[in-house]
Amino acid sequence: MKKTLGLMLLAWVTAASSQDQQTQQIWSGRLSDSMCGASHRTMAAARNMSERECLFECIKALASYVLVDDKQQVIAIANQDLGGFLLYAGRPVRITGGLKDGAIVATKI
């Protein structure tokens, strides 16, 4: 009985972890913010700062991090508290996660 229950539990855990791996996707692009989106040029030039400095100012003004892909599409990121956003802000990244309600739920940067 214990052996059968143990095998059933092992099968369930294996199936659950493989299902999670199947739903994981990888997005490539550049981290930006929801205020400026794909381009910081206008606001950065108006304030005489770099695009990265502009991104930090937007985040301070309560914008959220987004991913700008190679087609210049802006994709929202649902979990803003994942470590690494500050370090990679304005830089090329690869984000692993799932898509929920049109936003990336990131698990790794």
Side-chain angles (χ1 to χ4, degrees):
M1 177 75 172
K2 286 183 181 181
K3 193 174 195 179
T4 304
L5 187 56
L7 288 173
M8 288 174 55
L9 181 61
L10 179 63
W12 179 77
V13 168
T14 304
S17 67
S18 67
Q19 186 177 19
D20 286 346
Q21 290 174 355
Q22 291 173 358
T23 59
Q24 295 286 301
Q25 297 176 2
I26 297 175
W27 289 269
S28 295
R30 179 179 41 87
L31 273 183
S32 187
D33 67 82
S34 57
M35 264 187 196
C36 288
S39 177
H40 293 271
R41 288 186 187 125
T42 305
M43 191 178 293
R47 294 183 179 180
N48 197 24
M49 63 177 94
S50 72
E51 290 187 20
R52 187 167 159 87
E53 290 171 326
C54 179
L55 190 152
F56 290 132
E57 289 300 315
C58 291
I59 294 297
K60 285 181 191 175
L62 301 180
S64 56
Y65 289 105
V66 298
L67 180 73
V68 179
D69 69 9
D70 59 345
K71 297 175 185 170
Q72 300 301 305
Q73 294 177 343
V74 178
I75 306 167
I77 299 173
N79 52 332
Q80 297 288 304
D81 57 347
L82 183 66
F85 287 131
L86 183 63
L87 178 65
Y88 295 110
R91 297 186 173 141
V93 293
R94 289 178 52 157
I95 297 178
T96 304
L99 196 62
K100 183 176 180 181
D101 298 327
I104 298 171
V105 179
T107 57
K108 182 174 130 182
I109 299 177

